Amino acid sequence: MNEAVIEKSSRSPLTWLKKHSAQAAAYSGLLVCIIFFSIVTPMTGESIWSINKLSTLMQNVIVLALMSVGAVFVYALGSMDISIGKQVGLYATLVVVLGNATGSLLGGIVLSLVISVVIGAVNGAAGEVLHIHPIISSLVFMMVLTGVSSITYNSLGSRNVALSGVDVSIFRQTWFMLLALVVEVLVVSYLFYYTKLGKNAKAIGANAVSAQQSGINLIRYKMLAYIIMGVCVVLASLFQMGYTASASDSTGTGFEMNVMVALILGGMPLSGGMRSRISCAIVGSFTYALLDVGLPMLGVLPNQVFVIKAVMFLVVVVLTCRKRGGTLPR
C-alpha cells in the first residue's frame, strides 16, 4: 500500500512541477511573451507577427540561437566562455577581409574553423592542466582578440569593412535561417543526448570528481565541448556578417552576456549537470528576441529594455538556479 502511494505521489503534477521548475518557468515565460506582444503590439499600429517584424525577429534570434545551442555543451560542464563575442567579431572580420581578397567566403570560413578549434582546445584543456577555472582562459582570449581586432582595424584605416563582390543575401533569407538552425539543433541534439560527448559533459557538470573516477577523461571531453561550441560560433558569425555584409571592431560585442541571459531564461542551470537541455537554448533565445523586438515597439527606450531584461534574468536565476540549503551554484 505504501509503495503504491509513493508511486502515485511521484506521478502527481505537483511533484513533476517541482522536479521541472526551471523548464516550467522557461516555457511559461516564453508563452507569456508571445501572448502579451500578440495582444499589445497591434495597438501600436503594427503586429509583432507582421512580415516586417517577423523578419526582424528571425534576424535577431538566429545568431543568438546558433551560439546558445553550441554553448549548451560548455554550460553543461558548469563552465562558460566570455570570449564568444570577440570570437564572432574575429570570424566575421576574417570572412569579410579574405572574401574581398579572394572573391570567396571559403578561405575565411576554413581559417575561422581552424582558429575556433584551437581556441576551444586551449579553453577546454587549460582548466585541468593549469588548475584554473576555464573562465580565466576565456578571459585571456577575450583580451587577446580585443587587441587583435584593434590592430586589424587600425591597419585597415577604418572601424568598419564592407564585403564586396560576394553575394551574401542568402544569409538574410528566413527559410535559410530556419534551415541552418534546424540542422544545427538536430546535429547538436544527437551529439548531446545520444553520444558519449553529451552524456559525459553532463556527468562532469554534475560531479567532476565522480566522473573522473568513473574513467571519463576530463581534458578530452572538455576540449570537445568547447570545440563544438566554437564551430557553432563560426556558423553564427556568418549570419552576423551576412546581415549587414560587413564587419566592424564592435561586431559581437556583448554576445557572451546575451548567450548567458538566453540560456538562463531558457531554464539552463548555472551549475550544469544532468538538467542541461538543448531546449534551454531555443526557448531562451526566442524569449530574448521577443523582448528585443517587442519592447521597443511599445515605446520602451533601449536603456529601459536592458533594465527589464536584467530584472527578468535575476528573477529566473533566483527561482530556478538555487541549490537546496545554499545560495547560487559556483
Side-chain angles (χ1 to χ4, degrees):
M1 178 64 71
N2 290 337
E3 292 180 358
V5 172
I6 293 174
E7 183 178 356
K8 184 177 180 179
S9 175
S10 65
R11 294 178 180 177
S12 69
L14 184 59
T15 302
W16 183 93
L17 187 61
K18 288 181 178 179
K19 186 177 180 181
H20 300 85
S21 59
Q23 285 179 279
Y27 282 98
S28 297
L30 177 58
L31 183 60
V32 168
C33 286
I34 291 174
I35 294 174
F36 176 76
F37 289 121
S38 296
I39 295 174
V40 177
T41 54
M43 300 177 185
T44 66
E46 184 178 15
S47 171
I48 196 172
W49 307 117
S50 66
I51 298 298
N52 181 43
K53 290 301 179 183
L54 194 57
S55 176
T56 302
L57 179 66
M58 195 60 213
Q59 289 167 348
N60 280 19
V61 78
I62 184 65
V63 174
L64 180 58
L66 290 174
M67 291 188 296
S68 299
V69 168
V72 168
F73 262 94
V74 171
Y75 276 73
L77 297 170
S79 302
M80 61 183 67
D81 188 342
I82 60 174
S83 68
I84 292 177
K86 293 304 177 182
Q87 287 187 54
V88 170
L90 173 65
Y91 304 147
T93 300
L94 287 175
V95 171
V96 171
V97 171
L98 292 181
N100 289 338
T102 63
S104 171
L105 302 181
L106 183 61
I109 294 174
V110 172
L111 181 57
S112 296
L113 287 172
V114 171
I115 294 174
S116 72
V117 170
V118 173
I119 292 177
V122 173
N123 275 335
E128 293 302 315
V129 174
L130 302 178
H131 303 292
I132 59 175
H133 197 285
I135 196 173
I136 301 300
S137 60
S138 71
L139 175 62
V140 172
F141 272 116
M142 183 185 74
M143 297 172 66
V144 170
L145 294 179
T146 299
V148 170
S149 175
S150 179
I151 293 172
T152 300
Y153 283 96
N154 284 339
S155 65
L156 292 173
S158 173
R159 296 184 59 185
N160 182 81
V161 56
L163 182 66
S164 60
V166 182
D167 182 15
V168 292
S169 60
I170 190 172
F171 291 107
R172 296 189 290 272
Q173 299 295 321
T174 302
W175 68 268
F176 188 68
M177 295 180 192
L178 287 172
L179 178 63
L181 181 58
V182 169
V183 170
E184 181 183 285
V185 169
L186 290 176
V187 172
V188 175
S189 294
Y190 173 76
L191 294 174
F192 193 70
Y193 293 117
Y194 300 104
T195 70
K196 288 183 178 181
L197 292 178
K199 294 175 182 177
N200 288 346
K202 288 184 285 186
I204 293 171
N207 192 314
V209 175
S210 296
Q212 188 173 35
Q213 291 176 346
S214 300
I216 296 176
N217 188 317
L218 299 187
I219 294 180
R220 176 192 301 170
Y221 286 102
K222 285 187 176 184
M223 288 174 62
L224 290 173
Y226 275 91
I227 288 172
I228 289 172
M229 184 191 70
V231 172
C232 293
V233 170
V234 173
L235 181 58
S237 69
L238 291 176
F239 284 90
Q240 176 64 26
M241 176 277 304
Y243 179 58
T244 59
S246 65
S248 71
D249 59 354
S250 62
T251 297
T253 300
F255 279 9
E256 61 280 350
M257 293 305 299
N258 293 349
V259 168
M260 182 190 299
V261 173
L263 286 173
I264 296 302
L265 288 177
M268 188 77 177
L270 286 174
S271 55
M274 297 304 176
R275 291 186 296 148
S276 304
R277 291 176 174 82
I278 300 297
S279 61
C280 297
I282 305 301
V283 173
S285 295
F286 274 93
T287 302
Y288 192 93
L290 280 170
L291 293 171
D292 249 358
V293 177
L295 290 175
M297 292 179 66
L298 304 181
V300 180
L301 299 176
N303 290 340
Q304 295 172 335
V305 173
F306 285 117
V307 173
I308 293 173
K309 289 178 186 175
V311 171
M312 290 185 63
F313 174 74
L314 180 61
V315 170
V316 174
V317 168
V318 170
L319 292 179
T320 66
C321 298
R322 297 178 69 89
K323 284 188 173 181
R324 183 180 300 176
T327 55
L328 294 176
R330 68 181 184 278

